[in-house]
Amino acid sequence: MTKPAIAAVNDFVVKFANVNGSGSASANELFARAILRMGVPVSPRNIFPSNIQGLPTWYEVRVTEKGHLGRRGGVDMMVAMNPQTWAEDVKEIEPGGYLFYDSTKPMPASMFREDINIIGVPLTAITNATYSDARQRQLFKNIIYVGALSVLLDIDDNEIKRLFGEQFKGKEKLLDSNVKALNLGRDWVTQHADPAAVKLKVRRADNVGDRIFVEGNNAAALGAVYGGATVCAWYPITPSSSLAEAFQAHCKKLRHDKETGKAKYAIVQAEDELASIGIVIGAGWNGARAFTSTSGPGISLMTEFIGLASFAEVPAVIVNVQRGGPSTGMPTRTQQSDLLSCAYASNGDTKHVLLFPEDPKECFDFTADALDLADRLQTLVFVMTDLDIGMNHRLCAPFQWDDKRDLDRGKVMTAADLEAGKNFGRYLDVDGDGIPFRTYPGTHPTKGAYFTRGTTKDEYARYSEEGAVYVRNMERLQKKFDTARRIAPQPVRYSSPKPTRSGVIYFGSTSPSMAEALDQLEAQGHHVNALRVRSFPFSQAVEDFIHEHERVFVVEQNRDAQLRTMLMSEFTLDGRKLVPVLHYDGTPITARFITADIAKKLGQLKVVSFEKAAS
Amino acid sequence: MTYIAKPRLHHPSLVKNKAGYTRRDYEGAVSTLCAGCGHDSISAAIIQASYELDVLPHQIAKLSGIGCSSKAPTYFLGASHGFNTVHGRMPSVMTGANLANRDLIYMGVSGDGDSASIGLGQFAHIMRRGVNMTYIVMNNGVYGLTKGQFSATADKGSISKKGVANSDESIDLVSLAILMGATFVGRSFSGDKHQLVPLIKAAMAHEGAAFLDVISPCVAFNNHPGSTKSYDYVREHNEALNRVDFIESREEITTSYDPGTLTTVQQHDGSILRLRKLGEDYDASDKVAAMKRVQEGMAAGEVVTGLLYVDPSPKDLHHHLNTVDAALNTLETADLCPGPAALDRINAGLR
C-alpha cells in the first residue's frame, strides 16, 4: 500500500518548529526569500512566545503562486527541529503531508504517524562531522536544513547563494562558510534521499512583480520619516518596539545633516508610556511633528494624556501595534481588540481618529498621512496596525512618494498674520470646519500667546466653566470630527460580479484572508459585496453600504465585535442586520475560517440568491 | 478670576529694560490664589528675574502640571505661551517642547504634590536627561486645591491643620535632583526675594537642568504651629549657605569684593555667579559636598538654602542627541523628507 502524498506546485505550507534563540530565524527567512526570488509569492509568519531563549518558536511559510497572503491554516510539511514540541508538531501535519526531521538519533516508530511521509536527514551528525565550535554547529545546522529542503522542494540554490552574496557583501569568509553549509545539506539529500518522494515543489513563476517584502513596523517607521516626524518618544513593548528601532535606523541613514553630521530628529526612550505620550504632546504643541509607537497596555497608560491632546487640540500620532488583550494578555499574539479603547479613550465625551492599514504599504502611507491629519485636525491620530502586519514580512506594493507633496502643517498663524491684525482666537472656528488656528510658542512678542489647558475654555482660550461656552466648544469639536470623516482615508469597495443582498465589512490585517475568502465564497455560489473600512470616524460611504444590503457580516479579530459596536452606535443601526464574524484566538484570521463561518451563517439565514429567487 | 483682564495701563515713567520692555510686560493675569500665598511671591520673583535678564517675553515657554502652583503660570509672563498639562506629567511635556524648539527658555512650574507624589518618576527622569530648563517647585508640603492633605514633602512628624501628625518620611527634592543629575540645584524661600530673584536668573541662564525648590507657605492649610513649612518655621530655621549675585556675561565683573566671603562661578553661557558666603566654607561645584551639606542640614532641622550645586559646564539633552542647531520645528519638507529617489533605493533593497 502506498502512502498518500500531498502533491502541490507553488501552493503549500511549510512550518518550521524551532527553539527560540537558536539562530533559526535568519535561516527560515532565507528559505522564504529564495522562493520569492523565483517569482513565487510567499507569506511567512512568526509564531513566537514571550521569551528570549529556550521556548518553542515557529515560522510558517505559505507558498502561494496565486498570492493569497493571509494565513492558510494546516501544514503540508513540518520541519521539526524542536524535540520539546515534537508530538504537537507531528499531529498538526495534514494527512499525506511530510515530516522533515533530524534523524541522527534513531526514533521509535510510535513517534511518527502512518498517514504522513517521513524524511529523515542526520543534521546533527553532518554538522558535528564538519564543525567543532558550538555556536557554529548551532547556526550552520539551520543552513544545512535549508540546503536539504532546497533539493527536496526544487528551490534554486543559485537564488540562495545570491541572497548570501547580498547579505555578506564584503565579508567573504562568512559568505564561503554559509555556501559550504548549504552544500552540505544539498549533497547529503542528493546522495542519500529521493527528492521525488516529496511532491511539494516550487516552480519558477512571475507573480511577484515589483512588490516589496517588508515588515509593517519597518514600513510605518519609514512613513514617519517621510511624514516629517522629528520627535519620537517610546517605551519598549512587544510587538511595537521594532517600530521605534526602525525609525532610529532609518533616521541614521536619511536624517543627518550632510555637512555637520548632526541629527534632524530626536528620539527618546522614555521611562514609561506616560512620558512617551507626554513628550509627543509637548513637541506637537511646540510645532514639531511627533509620534510614539506602543501596544494595548501602553494605550491604557496613555489614556489621560490622550484626552488632553484631544481637548486642548494638540497634534500627536500613536501607532498602536495591537496584540492579544486584555491586560498583559497575549503579548506575542495578534488581535484587533483595541478599537473601542482607542476610539473613545479618556474620560468625558471623547472620540479620536483611527486609521486601519491593511499591510506594510498602508502602514507607510497611513503613518505619513496621520502626521498630516494630526496637524490638519489639531488632534491625536491613531494608526491601528497589529502584530500580524507589524512583525511579519509581507509582500506588498512598493512605497511611493509624490515629489510635490509638502508637509501639511494645517492652520498655523504666523507672526506676519498677527502683525497684519488677523483676529486670533485659539479655539475660534473661522471657516466652519471646526478647526481653529493655532500659534507656535515664541511666534510674536505681544500677540498670539495663549494658555493651553485641559480645562474648558472659550474661543480665546480663556478659562470658563460657563455652560453655553462649554457646549459651543463641544459642538465645534463634533464639527471637527465630521471634517475628519471627510478627509481621512475613505473605504475601499469590492463588488461581487453578481448582484447580492449580502455585504461584508472588514478592516486591517484581515484584508488578505478576506480577499481569498471572497473568492472561495464566490466559487461556492455565495455572492458577497465587501467594504474595507480604512478610518474612523466612518465615512458616509460605510453607512450607505450597510443600507444597501439586507445583512452585513462584520469580520474582526476580537471577541466583542468592537467594530460592529462602533458601527451601531455611530450610525444608530438595528444590530440584527450586522452579523458578527469573530476570530480571536491570537492567530491571524484565515480565509478558511471566514468562508466557513459566513457560509454557515448564510445557510442558517436561509439566504436565497437573486438568480434562484428569479428562477 | 483669570478671565478678568488685568488693565494694561502703561505708565510712561516705567523703566524699560535692554530688550525694550517694562516690568509690566512680564506680568500675567490677576492671581486667584489666596491672599498672602507664597506662590504669588515666587511669581513676582519670576517676573522680576525675566525683566532683569532682558529676555523677550515671548521667548519663554512656561509649563505646569496640576495644583495651586501649576495655576501660577497664568499670573506671570502673559505674553508667553503656557501649557497647563496633566497632574505630575509636566516634565515629559516640557521635554518634548524643548526637543521641538531648543531656542526658547523653558520654565517649568510645579508643586510638591505634582512633582514629589504623582510626578516623582517624571521629576527624576527629566533631571537625568538634562533638559535645558528652569524647574521650580513651589513647595508648601500640602495639597492646597483639595484642602489640606499632606504631600510627600511634608516633614515626618509635622502636624496638619486638622491636628494629624505625618508618619511618612518626607521626600527631599533637592537631594533627589542632585542625585538624578540636575546640573543646577538651589533652594530658597518665597519670602526672601533677595535670595530668590538672582537664583532664578542664574537658573534661567544655566544651559542644562536647573532645579529650584522654593519653600512657599500655604496660608490656608500649612501656616500653623506644628507645620514645618510655615512662614515662622522657615524664617527661624533658614540656614542660608550663600547669597547669589547674578551678572550677565556682557556686564563687567565688579571686583570689589572681599576674597574671603565671595567666590565666582562662570556658567557656560558666560554669565557670572557671585556667591556671597554666609555659611561655613561651601563649594557649590562639589557635588558630593553638596549632598553632605544638605543631609547635615536635614539632620539638624535646618532648611539649607542658596545655590547648593552647580556644574558650570553642563551638557543638555540636545547635546546628548546631537541635534541640529536649528529648532526642529523650523525644519521643512526639504529638510525632512528624503524624497522619491531615496524611496526607490529603499524599495530595491526590499526585493
Side-chain angles (χ1 to χ4, degrees):
Chain A
M1 192 183 90
T2 52
K3 273 190 187 175
I6 299 173
V9 176
N10 290 352
D11 184 16
F12 54 87
V13 172
V14 179
K15 188 170 182 176
F16 297 83
N18 299 100
V19 179
N20 212 13
S22 65
S24 57
S26 51
N28 297 345
E29 199 184 309
L30 180 73
F31 172 87
R33 281 181 183 279
I35 297 172
L36 207 55
R37 289 292 176 93
M38 291 175 68
V40 180
V42 293
S43 181
R45 282 181 170 77
N46 290 295
I47 303 152
F48 60 101
S50 187
N51 165 262
I52 298 302
Q53 198 177 35
L55 287 189
T57 174
W58 294 268
Y59 187 76
E60 195 177 278
V61 182
R62 179 173 188 186
V63 180
T64 164
E65 183 167 342
K66 284 186 182 162
H68 294 313
L69 302 178
R71 185 173 185 236
R72 190 197 72 177
V75 175
D76 299 314
M77 175 183 273
M78 179 69 72
V79 180
M81 302 303 296
N82 186 358
Q84 209 183 332
T85 56
W86 176 271
E88 61 178 286
D89 291 338
V90 169
K91 207 169 133 190
E92 204 183 342
I93 302 166
E94 301 269 308
Y98 305 84
L99 171 69
F100 177 99
Y101 80 110
D102 181 355
S103 61
T104 303
K105 280 187 188 162
M107 303 253 272
S110 63
M111 299 287 282
F112 300 97
R113 264 168 55 188
E114 283 293 319
D115 62 340
I116 57 173
N117 304 281
I118 316 293
I119 304 120
V121 179
L123 296 167
T124 305
I126 301 170
T127 309
N128 291 358
T130 318
Y131 304 98
S132 52
D133 175 71
R135 186 68 190 149
Q136 278 194 336
R137 281 180 173 176
Q138 191 174 40
L139 292 177
F140 286 128
K141 189 157 102 177
N142 301 322
I143 302 298
I144 292 168
Y145 74 60
V146 173
L149 289 171
S150 70
V151 178
L152 295 169
L153 301 173
D154 275 358
I155 299 170
D156 187 347
D157 60 321
N158 288 319
E159 294 295 359
I160 304 178
K161 287 170 189 161
R162 232 168 269 147
L163 286 162
F164 280 146
E166 292 163 25
Q167 191 184 351
F168 303 116
K169 206 172 175 181
K171 299 169 188 164
E172 303 306 326
K173 255 183 137 176
L174 274 170
L175 172 65
D176 292 345
S177 53
N178 275 281
V179 171
K180 184 183 160 192
L182 184 79
N183 286 334
L184 280 171
R186 290 184 61 83
D187 293 347
W188 194 93
V189 171
T190 310
Q191 288 159 22
H192 302 95
D194 174 19
V198 176
K199 299 188 189 321
L200 306 175
K201 298 293 176 193
V202 182
R203 190 185 301 148
R204 198 168 276 280
D206 191 16
N207 284 7
V208 173
D210 69 344
R211 281 186 283 181
I212 57 173
F213 191 58
V214 63
E215 290 153 313
N217 283 354
N218 188 352
L222 191 63
V225 174
Y226 272 76
T230 51
V231 175
C232 165
W234 66 293
Y235 186 74
I237 180 171
T238 305
S240 75
S241 306
S242 60
L243 202 164
E245 285 164 351
F247 183 68
Q248 177 119 32
H250 287 308
C251 282
K252 274 191 175 161
K253 285 184 197 148
L254 301 167
R255 280 277 194 84
H256 279 266
D257 187 272
K258 284 197 177 65
E259 281 157 34
T260 64
K262 289 191 171 183
K264 290 187 271 189
Y265 62 94
I267 301 172
V268 175
Q269 185 189 316
E271 61 269 32
D272 54 31
E273 284 89 346
L274 286 78
S276 304
I277 188 66
I279 290 169
V280 168
I281 290 170
W285 172 74
N286 214 0
R289 290 197 155 182
F291 80 101
T292 185
S293 56
T294 189
S295 193
I299 299 292
S300 298
L301 285 168
M302 293 176 183
T303 300
E304 185 185 21
F305 258 133
I306 291 168
L308 176 72
S310 164
F311 200 48
E313 300 177 65
V314 179
V317 170
I318 298 176
V319 184
N320 178 5
V321 189
Q322 295 167 92
R323 65 190 216 182
S327 189
T328 308
M330 295 195 286
T332 60
R333 307 286 163 162
T334 196
Q335 262 183 4
Q336 301 174 317
S337 52
D338 295 341
L339 265 65
L340 288 169
S341 72
C342 289
Y344 306 108
S346 212
N347 54 302
D349 290 323
T350 53
K351 292 185 190 186
H352 312 287
V353 178
L354 316 181
L355 310 182
F356 304 113
E358 65 165 343
D359 65 1
K361 169 64 164 54
E362 281 192 347
C363 284
F364 173 83
D365 290 343
F366 286 6
T367 306
D369 291 349
L371 289 157
D372 271 353
L373 284 170
D375 265 351
R376 168 57 51 187
L377 294 164
Q378 295 174 19
T379 195
L380 187 140
V381 177
F382 286 95
V383 181
M384 303 290 286
T385 164
D386 62 26
L387 184 144
D388 187 37
I389 306 175
M391 288 190 72
N392 291 311
H393 279 87
R394 181 70 47 81
L395 206 56
C396 65
F399 302 134
Q400 281 181 319
W401 193 261
D402 179 359
D403 205 13
K404 290 188 282 291
R405 177 168 169 174
D406 252 329
L407 307 179
D408 175 8
R409 301 310 314 266
K411 292 182 180 172
V412 180
M413 210 169 266
T414 62
D417 293 334
L418 293 164
E419 200 56 51
K422 270 198 187 172
N423 181 18
F424 174 65
R426 173 63 186 97
Y427 299 105
L428 184 67
D429 182 9
V430 286
D431 50 15
D433 62 4
I435 308 167
F437 272 86
R438 64 175 180 142
T439 53
Y440 298 152
T443 297
H444 191 280
T446 54
K447 299 183 174 87
Y450 67 97
F451 213 78
T452 306
R453 46 163 62 93
T455 40
T456 58
K457 59 265 163 183
D458 71 4
E459 286 82 350
Y460 292 89
R462 292 171 301 210
Y463 178 68
S464 170
E465 288 182 9
E466 211 181 301
V469 171
Y470 173 80
V471 169
R472 254 194 340 257
N473 188 47
M474 292 301 280
E475 286 182 350
R476 182 183 56 77
L477 286 169
Q478 184 63 48
K479 193 181 272 181
K480 187 166 93 163
F481 207 61
D482 284 332
T483 300
R485 193 187 308 284
R486 291 192 300 275
I487 66 174
Q490 297 298 297
V492 179
R493 185 189 168 121
Y494 303 91
S495 293
S496 163
K498 301 259 172 63
T500 175
R501 288 172 297 217
S502 297
V504 59
I505 287 178
Y506 65 102
F507 64 100
S509 66
T510 301
S511 189
S513 290
M514 191 69 233
E516 187 181 355
L518 288 172
D519 286 350
Q520 292 172 353
L521 286 164
E522 201 66 47
Q524 293 175 17
H526 298 299
H527 310 303
V528 183
N529 293 326
L531 191 76
R532 180 162 70 87
V533 171
R534 300 202 298 169
S535 62
F536 175 78
F538 303 120
S539 155
Q540 183 55 45
V542 179
E543 188 174 15
D544 296 346
F545 181 85
I546 295 169
H547 288 317
E548 204 186 299
H549 296 90
E550 249 172 44
R551 74 207 62 78
V552 176
F553 297 97
V554 184
V555 183
E556 40 190 325
Q557 302 184 49
N558 60 65
R559 185 194 68 180
D560 291 346
Q562 297 188 19
L563 183 73
R564 178 176 173 271
T565 303
M566 287 162 67
L567 289 167
M568 278 162 56
S569 78
E570 295 292 323
F571 293 133
T572 327
L573 295 171
D574 178 355
R576 284 170 298 186
K577 190 171 174 172
L578 299 178
V579 185
V581 175
L582 307 169
H583 171 92
Y584 59 93
D585 67 1
T587 62
I589 196 167
T590 63
R592 286 180 183 180
F593 171 83
I594 299 171
T595 303
D597 204 48
I598 289 182
K600 186 178 87 186
K601 283 170 175 156
L602 283 171
Q604 284 164 352
L605 294 164
K606 300 199 175 21
V607 173
V608 179
S609 70
F610 276 126
E611 304 99 85
K612 278 197 186 147
S615 65
Chain B
M1 290 180 293
T2 50
Y3 51 88
I4 298 178
K6 204 173 196 173
R8 283 261 160 220
L9 291 172
H10 279 254
H11 199 279
S13 69
L14 281 177
V15 183
K16 288 183 174 173
N17 63 8
K18 291 204 188 77
Y21 295 92
T22 70
R23 195 182 174 286
R24 284 298 313 271
D25 295 318
Y26 296 88
E27 290 178 355
V30 177
S31 173
T32 62
L33 298 170
C34 307
C37 177
H39 295 2
D40 284 334
S41 309
I42 303 171
S43 294
I46 292 169
I47 291 164
Q48 189 66 25
S50 305
Y51 168 71
E52 289 180 12
L53 272 180
D54 305 320
V55 294
L56 298 169
H58 69 303
Q59 290 301 304
I60 301 175
K62 44 183 186 168
L63 296 99
S64 63
I66 296 292
C68 292
S69 57
S70 294
K71 288 169 74 172
T74 317
Y75 319 134
F76 58 81
L77 297 169
S80 306
H81 275 65
F83 198 162
N84 202 176
T85 67
V86 292
H87 201 15
R89 319 292 176 211
M90 172 272 282
S92 60
V93 179
M94 188 155 64
T95 303
N98 182 292
L99 289 175
N101 182 359
R102 62 191 301 170
D103 293 339
L104 300 182
I105 294 170
Y106 291 89
M107 170 80 66
V109 174
S110 180
D112 37 301
D114 200 55
S115 279
S117 295
I118 187 169
L120 190 65
Q122 295 214 342
F123 175 84
H125 286 279
I126 197 168
M127 300 302 164
R128 284 180 64 222
R129 291 199 180 98
V131 173
N132 183 3
M133 60 169 181
T134 298
Y135 190 123
I136 296 176
V137 166
M138 300 180 172
N139 185 355
N140 56 17
V142 75
Y143 283 84
L145 215 49
T146 53
K147 302 192 177 178
Q149 301 83 3
F150 280 123
S151 88
T153 64
D155 286 310
K156 194 171 184 175
S158 62
I159 311 292
S160 77
K161 200 177 180 184
K162 287 179 181 162
V164 181
N166 177 33
S167 60
D168 293 348
E169 198 57 63
S170 77
I171 292 171
D172 181 43
L173 290 173
V174 159
S175 303
L176 189 62
I178 297 173
L179 197 63
M180 289 297 124
T183 44
F184 183 109
V185 179
R187 180 152 53 200
S188 191
F189 174 45
S190 63
D192 185 357
K193 72 173 181 188
H194 296 295
Q195 186 189 46
L196 183 55
V197 172
L199 265 180
I200 294 173
K201 285 166 72 180
M204 287 170 74
H206 182 77
E207 294 180 351
F211 171 62
L212 291 175
D213 179 27
V214 187
I215 310 293
S216 174
C218 174
V219 288
F221 300 106
N222 212 4
N223 197 30
H224 50 271
S227 160
T228 56
K229 288 192 169 51
S230 66
Y231 278 106
D232 289 346
Y233 185 93
V234 179
R235 283 210 178 92
E236 279 163 28
H237 295 80
N238 186 356
E239 174 70 19
L241 293 178
N242 46 38
R243 182 76 72 193
V244 180
D245 290 338
F246 177 83
I247 303 157
E248 281 179 81
S249 51
R250 59 177 170 273
E251 288 180 16
E252 243 183 87
I253 303 162
T254 51
T255 50
S256 56
Y257 57 84
D258 182 349
T261 60
L262 279 169
T263 56
T264 61
V265 177
Q266 183 165 23
Q267 295 212 91
H268 192 67
D269 69 336
S271 63
I272 309 287
L273 302 179
R274 289 196 314 184
L275 300 176
R276 199 179 304 271
K277 296 281 183 190
L278 295 181
E280 71 241 46
D281 204 14
Y282 182 74
D283 179 4
S285 64
D286 184 338
K287 191 170 180 173
V288 177
M291 294 287 288
K292 185 161 179 276
R293 185 65 192 86
V294 170
Q295 294 297 318
E296 282 169 357
M298 280 166 73
E302 295 168 358
V303 182
V304 179
T305 62
L307 176 56
L308 305 173
Y309 171 65
V310 62
D311 174 353
S313 316
K315 303 271 192 289
D316 86 326
L317 182 57
H318 280 282
H319 172 87
H320 301 314
L321 296 175
N322 189 31
T323 44
V324 287
D325 296 339
L328 291 178
N329 72 354
T330 63
L331 301 180
E332 292 177 355
T333 309
D335 302 306
L336 300 175
C337 185
L343 202 53
D344 288 344
R345 285 193 295 276
I346 292 167
N347 282 327
L350 295 170
R351 291 190 175 115

